[in-house]
Amino acid sequence: MEKSQDKPKLLSGGNPQIPKGYGEAPVRAYIAAMPGWKQEIGQKLDEIITRTVPEVRKAVKWNSPLYGVEEGHWFLSFHCMTKYIKIGFFRGAQLEPMPPVASKQPDVRYMHIPEGPFDEDQFADWVRQASRLPGEKM
């Protein structure tokens, strides 16, 4: 393997550049490439999602892990930003309570996780709710 391929390139905000792929392997590669404190939170997010939705499907597209139940339809994604991890719920406006951060897209809501602890129970509840809604086709 060439030296330049040993480690994924980090894009703006420290987001890993991972080739598009489906299944566990590309998501694992993305999480392994998350910088610093973000990697531990990325692992925790993946664990919570997998535990909450055992039949979850995974992929990496547009340098972000995607999670869904139905083939090609996704309910959640996350992305590394400079000071937080941005979790997008594609049907977040239908969740109770709604995730706190609005989007330009009316259905999408975000949760931002900065360094440190986060409300894992609330996140798991949103994952449970989101997994039962129709996924976003991408």
Side-chain angles (χ1 to χ4, degrees), residues 8 13 16 19 27-28 32 38-39 43-44 46 48 69 80 83 89 97 101 108 110 114-115 120 123 129 135:
V27 173
R28 288 270 154 242
K38 295 172 188 165
Q39 186 178 106
Q43 289 169 340
K44 178 60 77 175
D46 186 72
I48 292 169
V69 177
C80 291
K83 296 185 181 212
F89 292 93
V101 183
V108 177
Y110 297 108
E115 185 173 6
E120 295 179 23
F123 175 70
Q129 290 180 57

PDB file of all heavy atoms in Angstrom, residues 8 13 16 19 27-28 32 38-39 43-44 46 48 69 80 83 89 97 101 108 110 114-115 120 123 129 135:
ATOM      1  N   PRO A   8      -6.785   7.756   5.915  1.00  0.00           N
ATOM      2  CA  PRO A   8      -7.686   8.614   5.128  1.00  0.00           C
ATOM      3  C   PRO A   8      -7.368  10.091   5.345  1.00  0.00           C
ATOM      4  O   PRO A   8      -6.969  10.509   6.428  1.00  0.00           O
ATOM      5  CB  PRO A   8      -9.071   8.282   5.694  1.00  0.00           C
ATOM      6  CG  PRO A   8      -8.924   6.942   6.326  1.00  0.00           C
ATOM      7  CD  PRO A   8      -7.512   6.887   6.811  1.00  0.00           C
ATOM      8  N   GLY A  13     -13.044  20.469   9.060  1.00  0.00           N
ATOM      9  CA  GLY A  13     -13.659  20.060  10.313  1.00  0.00           C
ATOM     10  C   GLY A  13     -13.139  18.742  10.845  1.00  0.00           C
ATOM     11  O   GLY A  13     -13.610  18.251  11.851  1.00  0.00           O
ATOM     12  N   PRO A  16     -13.365  12.539   8.058  1.00  0.00           N
ATOM     13  CA  PRO A  16     -12.575  11.602   7.245  1.00  0.00           C
ATOM     14  C   PRO A  16     -13.129  11.447   5.831  1.00  0.00           C
ATOM     15  O   PRO A  16     -14.337  11.377   5.633  1.00  0.00           O
ATOM     16  CB  PRO A  16     -12.697  10.276   8.002  1.00  0.00           C
ATOM     17  CG  PRO A  16     -13.114  10.640   9.381  1.00  0.00           C
ATOM     18  CD  PRO A  16     -13.935  11.895   9.233  1.00  0.00           C
ATOM     19  N   PRO A  19     -13.970   6.226   1.010  1.00  0.00           N
ATOM     20  CA  PRO A  19     -14.663   5.853  -0.228  1.00  0.00           C
ATOM     21  C   PRO A  19     -16.070   5.319   0.051  1.00  0.00           C
ATOM     22  O   PRO A  19     -16.316   4.678   1.071  1.00  0.00           O
ATOM     23  CB  PRO A  19     -13.784   4.739  -0.813  1.00  0.00           C
ATOM     24  CG  PRO A  19     -12.466   4.895  -0.155  1.00  0.00           C
ATOM     25  CD  PRO A  19     -12.726   5.493   1.193  1.00  0.00           C
ATOM     26  N   VAL A  27     -18.024   1.812   7.419  1.00  0.00           N
ATOM     27  CA  VAL A  27     -18.388   2.578   8.620  1.00  0.00           C
ATOM     28  C   VAL A  27     -17.289   2.430   9.666  1.00  0.00           C
ATOM     29  O   VAL A  27     -16.885   3.406  10.298  1.00  0.00           O
ATOM     30  CB  VAL A  27     -19.771   2.143   9.159  1.00  0.00           C
ATOM     31  CG1 VAL A  27     -20.069   2.809  10.497  1.00  0.00           C
ATOM     32  CG2 VAL A  27     -20.857   2.491   8.143  1.00  0.00           C
ATOM     33  N   ARG A  28     -16.770   1.217   9.821  1.00  0.00           N
ATOM     34  CA  ARG A  28     -15.645   0.996  10.753  1.00  0.00           C
ATOM     35  C   ARG A  28     -14.425   1.841  10.335  1.00  0.00           C
ATOM     36  O   ARG A  28     -13.746   2.413  11.179  1.00  0.00           O
ATOM     37  CB  ARG A  28     -15.243  -0.473  10.795  1.00  0.00           C
ATOM     38  CG  ARG A  28     -16.232  -1.329  11.501  1.00  0.00           C
ATOM     39  CD  ARG A  28     -15.920  -1.418  12.997  1.00  0.00           C
ATOM     40  NE  ARG A  28     -17.150  -1.706  13.688  1.00  0.00           N
ATOM     41  CZ  ARG A  28     -17.727  -0.926  14.583  1.00  0.00           C
ATOM     42  NH1 ARG A  28     -17.183   0.210  14.925  1.00  0.00           N
ATOM     43  NH2 ARG A  28     -18.851  -1.249  15.146  1.00  0.00           N
ATOM     44  N   ALA A  32     -12.744   4.722  12.620  1.00  0.00           N
ATOM     45  CA  ALA A  32     -11.323   4.588  12.957  1.00  0.00           C
ATOM     46  C   ALA A  32     -10.524   5.823  12.541  1.00  0.00           C
ATOM     47  O   ALA A  32      -9.501   6.145  13.150  1.00  0.00           O
ATOM     48  CB  ALA A  32     -10.736   3.336  12.299  1.00  0.00           C
ATOM     49  N   LYS A  38     -13.414  12.654  18.887  1.00  0.00           N
ATOM     50  CA  LYS A  38     -14.558  12.320  18.039  1.00  0.00           C
ATOM     51  C   LYS A  38     -14.649  10.813  17.786  1.00  0.00           C
ATOM     52  O   LYS A  38     -15.744  10.272  17.639  1.00  0.00           O
ATOM     53  CB  LYS A  38     -14.482  13.093  16.726  1.00  0.00           C
ATOM     54  CG  LYS A  38     -14.625  14.595  16.932  1.00  0.00           C
ATOM     55  CD  LYS A  38     -14.370  15.367  15.663  1.00  0.00           C
ATOM     56  CE  LYS A  38     -14.340  16.852  15.975  1.00  0.00           C
ATOM     57  NZ  LYS A  38     -13.778  17.631  14.909  1.00  0.00           N
ATOM     58  N   GLN A  39     -13.496  10.138  17.757  1.00  0.00           N
ATOM     59  CA  GLN A  39     -13.504   8.701  17.489  1.00  0.00           C
ATOM     60  C   GLN A  39     -14.258   7.928  18.576  1.00  0.00           C
ATOM     61  O   GLN A  39     -15.073   7.055  18.280  1.00  0.00           O
ATOM     62  CB  GLN A  39     -12.071   8.173  17.369  1.00  0.00           C
ATOM     63  CG  GLN A  39     -12.021   6.725  16.952  1.00  0.00           C
ATOM     64  CD  GLN A  39     -10.611   6.249  16.792  1.00  0.00           C
ATOM     65  OE1 GLN A  39     -10.117   5.505  17.625  1.00  0.00           O
ATOM     66  NE2 GLN A  39      -9.944   6.700  15.737  1.00  0.00           N
ATOM     67  N   GLN A  43     -17.671   5.763  17.953  1.00  0.00           N
ATOM     68  CA  GLN A  43     -17.844   4.356  18.351  1.00  0.00           C
ATOM     69  C   GLN A  43     -19.096   4.192  19.199  1.00  0.00           C
ATOM     70  O   GLN A  43     -19.872   3.250  19.016  1.00  0.00           O
ATOM     71  CB  GLN A  43     -16.617   3.866  19.129  1.00  0.00           C
ATOM     72  CG  GLN A  43     -15.395   3.707  18.268  1.00  0.00           C
ATOM     73  CD  GLN A  43     -14.120   3.478  19.074  1.00  0.00           C
ATOM     74  OE1 GLN A  43     -14.034   3.775  20.258  1.00  0.00           O
ATOM     75  NE2 GLN A  43     -13.113   2.945  18.400  1.00  0.00           N
ATOM     76  N   LYS A  44     -19.308   5.120  20.128  1.00  0.00           N
ATOM     77  CA  LYS A  44     -20.480   5.064  21.002  1.00  0.00           C
ATOM     78  C   LYS A  44     -21.763   5.224  20.188  1.00  0.00           C
ATOM     79  O   LYS A  44     -22.742   4.492  20.402  1.00  0.00           O
ATOM     80  CB  LYS A  44     -20.377   6.149  22.085  1.00  0.00           C
ATOM     81  CG  LYS A  44     -21.540   6.214  23.023  1.00  0.00           C
ATOM     82  CD  LYS A  44     -21.772   4.928  23.795  1.00  0.00           C
ATOM     83  CE  LYS A  44     -20.795   4.781  24.924  1.00  0.00           C
ATOM     84  NZ  LYS A  44     -21.077   3.602  25.759  1.00  0.00           N
ATOM     85  N   ASP A  46     -22.264   4.462  17.030  1.00  0.00           N
ATOM     86  CA  ASP A  46     -22.453   3.225  16.269  1.00  0.00           C
ATOM     87  C   ASP A  46     -22.963   2.100  17.173  1.00  0.00           C
ATOM     88  O   ASP A  46     -23.864   1.350  16.795  1.00  0.00           O
ATOM     89  CB  ASP A  46     -21.148   2.829  15.580  1.00  0.00           C
ATOM     90  CG  ASP A  46     -21.323   1.641  14.658  1.00  0.00           C
ATOM     91  OD1 ASP A  46     -21.950   1.813  13.586  1.00  0.00           O
ATOM     92  OD2 ASP A  46     -20.861   0.535  15.018  1.00  0.00           O
ATOM     93  N   ILE A  48     -24.704   2.392  20.004  1.00  0.00           N
ATOM     94  CA  ILE A  48     -26.089   2.681  20.399  1.00  0.00           C
ATOM     95  C   ILE A  48     -27.038   2.379  19.246  1.00  0.00           C
ATOM     96  O   ILE A  48     -28.085   1.754  19.435  1.00  0.00           O
ATOM     97  CB  ILE A  48     -26.234   4.142  20.874  1.00  0.00           C
ATOM     98  CG1 ILE A  48     -25.479   4.338  22.199  1.00  0.00           C
ATOM     99  CG2 ILE A  48     -27.709   4.527  21.024  1.00  0.00           C
ATOM    100  CD1 ILE A  48     -25.337   5.795  22.626  1.00  0.00           C
ATOM    101  N   VAL A  69     -32.913   1.025   7.671  1.00  0.00           N
ATOM    102  CA  VAL A  69     -33.527  -0.281   7.875  1.00  0.00           C
ATOM    103  C   VAL A  69     -33.827  -0.926   6.526  1.00  0.00           C
ATOM    104  O   VAL A  69     -33.607  -2.097   6.325  1.00  0.00           O
ATOM    105  CB  VAL A  69     -34.812  -0.160   8.730  1.00  0.00           C
ATOM    106  CG1 VAL A  69     -35.504  -1.505   8.879  1.00  0.00           C
ATOM    107  CG2 VAL A  69     -34.489   0.418  10.099  1.00  0.00           C
ATOM    108  N   CYS A  80     -18.275  14.798  10.988  1.00  0.00           N
ATOM    109  CA  CYS A  80     -17.385  15.543  11.896  1.00  0.00           C
ATOM    110  C   CYS A  80     -17.304  17.006  11.488  1.00  0.00           C
ATOM    111  O   CYS A  80     -17.005  17.325  10.336  1.00  0.00           O
ATOM    112  CB  CYS A  80     -15.969  14.965  11.862  1.00  0.00           C
ATOM    113  SG  CYS A  80     -15.826  13.346  12.603  1.00  0.00           S
ATOM    114  N   LYS A  83     -15.864  21.540  15.956  1.00  0.00           N
ATOM    115  CA  LYS A  83     -16.051  21.518  17.411  1.00  0.00           C
ATOM    116  C   LYS A  83     -17.124  20.548  17.885  1.00  0.00           C
ATOM    117  O   LYS A  83     -17.420  20.501  19.075  1.00  0.00           O
ATOM    118  CB  LYS A  83     -16.384  22.921  17.914  1.00  0.00           C
ATOM    119  CG  LYS A  83     -15.241  23.881  17.670  1.00  0.00           C
ATOM    120  CD  LYS A  83     -15.488  25.231  18.265  1.00  0.00           C
ATOM    121  CE  LYS A  83     -14.299  26.116  17.933  1.00  0.00           C
ATOM    122  NZ  LYS A  83     -14.019  27.090  18.925  1.00  0.00           N
ATOM    123  N   PHE A  89     -30.974  13.627  11.558  1.00  0.00           N
ATOM    124  CA  PHE A  89     -32.131  12.734  11.494  1.00  0.00           C
ATOM    125  C   PHE A  89     -32.967  13.203  10.316  1.00  0.00           C
ATOM    126  O   PHE A  89     -33.513  14.313  10.344  1.00  0.00           O
ATOM    127  CB  PHE A  89     -32.946  12.815  12.795  1.00  0.00           C
ATOM    128  CG  PHE A  89     -32.238  12.254  13.998  1.00  0.00           C
ATOM    129  CD1 PHE A  89     -31.493  13.080  14.827  1.00  0.00           C
ATOM    130  CD2 PHE A  89     -32.313  10.900  14.295  1.00  0.00           C
ATOM    131  CE1 PHE A  89     -30.840  12.567  15.944  1.00  0.00           C
ATOM    132  CE2 PHE A  89     -31.661  10.374  15.408  1.00  0.00           C
ATOM    133  CZ  PHE A  89     -30.929  11.213  16.230  1.00  0.00           C
ATOM    134  N   PRO A  97     -39.228  14.406  21.715  1.00  0.00           N
ATOM    135  CA  PRO A  97     -39.236  15.784  21.230  1.00  0.00           C
ATOM    136  C   PRO A  97     -38.331  15.894  20.003  1.00  0.00           C
ATOM    137  O   PRO A  97     -37.499  15.027  19.777  1.00  0.00           O
ATOM    138  CB  PRO A  97     -38.652  16.562  22.413  1.00  0.00           C
ATOM    139  CG  PRO A  97     -37.731  15.592  23.090  1.00  0.00           C
ATOM    140  CD  PRO A  97     -38.402  14.245  22.921  1.00  0.00           C
ATOM    141  N   VAL A 101     -31.682  21.152  16.713  1.00  0.00           N
ATOM    142  CA  VAL A 101     -31.139  22.063  15.698  1.00  0.00           C
ATOM    143  C   VAL A 101     -31.921  21.925  14.385  1.00  0.00           C
ATOM    144  O   VAL A 101     -32.020  20.834  13.825  1.00  0.00           O
ATOM    145  CB  VAL A 101     -29.632  21.811  15.476  1.00  0.00           C
ATOM    146  CG1 VAL A 101     -29.062  22.806  14.473  1.00  0.00           C
ATOM    147  CG2 VAL A 101     -28.869  21.868  16.803  1.00  0.00           C
ATOM    148  N   VAL A 108     -35.667  17.660   8.233  1.00  0.00           N
ATOM    149  CA  VAL A 108     -34.389  17.297   8.851  1.00  0.00           C
ATOM    150  C   VAL A 108     -34.176  18.086  10.141  1.00  0.00           C
ATOM    151  O   VAL A 108     -34.436  19.287  10.211  1.00  0.00           O
ATOM    152  CB  VAL A 108     -33.219  17.550   7.877  1.00  0.00           C
ATOM    153  CG1 VAL A 108     -31.878  17.244   8.524  1.00  0.00           C
ATOM    154  CG2 VAL A 108     -33.399  16.727   6.599  1.00  0.00           C
ATOM    155  N   TYR A 110     -31.176  18.242  13.540  1.00  0.00           N
ATOM    156  CA  TYR A 110     -29.830  17.856  13.928  1.00  0.00           C
ATOM    157  C   TYR A 110     -29.656  17.825  15.441  1.00  0.00           C
ATOM    158  O   TYR A 110     -30.342  18.530  16.181  1.00  0.00           O
ATOM    159  CB  TYR A 110     -28.797  18.838  13.363  1.00  0.00           C
ATOM    160  CG  TYR A 110     -28.755  18.882  11.868  1.00  0.00           C
ATOM    161  CD1 TYR A 110     -29.255  19.979  11.178  1.00  0.00           C
ATOM    162  CD2 TYR A 110     -28.211  17.840  11.138  1.00  0.00           C
ATOM    163  CE1 TYR A 110     -29.212  20.035   9.795  1.00  0.00           C
ATOM    164  CE2 TYR A 110     -28.163  17.879   9.752  1.00  0.00           C
ATOM    165  CZ  TYR A 110     -28.668  18.985   9.094  1.00  0.00           C
ATOM    166  OH  TYR A 110     -28.628  19.034   7.717  1.00  0.00           O
ATOM    167  N   PRO A 114     -20.712  18.035  21.206  1.00  0.00           N
ATOM    168  CA  PRO A 114     -19.348  18.527  21.413  1.00  0.00           C
ATOM    169  C   PRO A 114     -18.564  17.509  22.255  1.00  0.00           C
ATOM    170  O   PRO A 114     -19.121  16.500  22.705  1.00  0.00           O
ATOM    171  CB  PRO A 114     -19.565  19.833  22.176  1.00  0.00           C
ATOM    172  CG  PRO A 114     -20.836  19.609  22.929  1.00  0.00           C
ATOM    173  CD  PRO A 114     -21.679  18.691  22.067  1.00  0.00           C
ATOM    174  N   GLU A 115     -17.298  17.780  22.494  1.00  0.00           N
ATOM    175  CA  GLU A 115     -16.481  16.905  23.324  1.00  0.00           C
ATOM    176  C   GLU A 115     -17.123  16.768  24.703  1.00  0.00           C
ATOM    177  O   GLU A 115     -17.626  17.749  25.261  1.00  0.00           O
ATOM    178  CB  GLU A 115     -15.064  17.477  23.455  1.00  0.00           C
ATOM    179  CG  GLU A 115     -14.121  16.574  24.206  1.00  0.00           C
ATOM    180  CD  GLU A 115     -12.684  17.070  24.184  1.00  0.00           C
ATOM    181  OE1 GLU A 115     -12.427  18.178  23.677  1.00  0.00           O
ATOM    182  OE2 GLU A 115     -11.822  16.333  24.675  1.00  0.00           O
ATOM    183  N   GLU A 120     -27.159   9.938  26.073  1.00  0.00           N
ATOM    184  CA  GLU A 120     -27.226   8.691  25.307  1.00  0.00           C
ATOM    185  C   GLU A 120     -28.638   8.122  25.276  1.00  0.00           C
ATOM    186  O   GLU A 120     -29.050   7.546  24.268  1.00  0.00           O
ATOM    187  CB  GLU A 120     -26.249   7.670  25.882  1.00  0.00           C
ATOM    188  CG  GLU A 120     -24.803   8.092  25.729  1.00  0.00           C
ATOM    189  CD  GLU A 120     -23.819   7.084  26.316  1.00  0.00           C
ATOM    190  OE1 GLU A 120     -24.175   5.887  26.456  1.00  0.00           O
ATOM    191  OE2 GLU A 120     -22.681   7.498  26.632  1.00  0.00           O
ATOM    192  N   PHE A 123     -30.615  10.102  22.724  1.00  0.00           N
ATOM    193  CA  PHE A 123     -30.157   9.716  21.388  1.00  0.00           C
ATOM    194  C   PHE A 123     -30.755   8.361  20.998  1.00  0.00           C
ATOM    195  O   PHE A 123     -31.291   8.202  19.904  1.00  0.00           O
ATOM    196  CB  PHE A 123     -28.625   9.690  21.327  1.00  0.00           C
ATOM    197  CG  PHE A 123     -28.100   9.195  20.017  1.00  0.00           C
ATOM    198  CD1 PHE A 123     -28.235   9.956  18.867  1.00  0.00           C
ATOM    199  CD2 PHE A 123     -27.492   7.946  19.911  1.00  0.00           C
ATOM    200  CE1 PHE A 123     -27.776   9.498  17.639  1.00  0.00           C
ATOM    201  CE2 PHE A 123     -27.029   7.480  18.689  1.00  0.00           C
ATOM    202  CZ  PHE A 123     -27.178   8.255  17.557  1.00  0.00           C
ATOM    203  N   GLN A 129     -37.164   5.864  17.373  1.00  0.00           N
ATOM    204  CA  GLN A 129     -38.276   6.512  16.660  1.00  0.00           C
ATOM    205  C   GLN A 129     -37.962   6.659  15.166  1.00  0.00           C
ATOM    206  O   GLN A 129     -38.793   6.343  14.316  1.00  0.00           O
ATOM    207  CB  GLN A 129     -38.536   7.903  17.238  1.00  0.00           C
ATOM    208  CG  GLN A 129     -39.121   7.938  18.627  1.00  0.00           C
ATOM    209  CD  GLN A 129     -39.334   9.386  19.062  1.00  0.00           C
ATOM    210  OE1 GLN A 129     -40.032  10.146  18.383  1.00  0.00           O
ATOM    211  NE2 GLN A 129     -38.720   9.773  20.169  1.00  0.00           N
ATOM    212  N   GLY A 135     -37.501   5.817   5.559  1.00  0.00           N
ATOM    213  CA  GLY A 135     -36.163   6.350   5.367  1.00  0.00           C
ATOM    214  C   GLY A 135     -36.082   7.269   4.166  1.00  0.00           C
ATOM    215  O   GLY A 135     -36.959   7.262   3.296  1.00  0.00           O
TER     216      GLY A 135
END
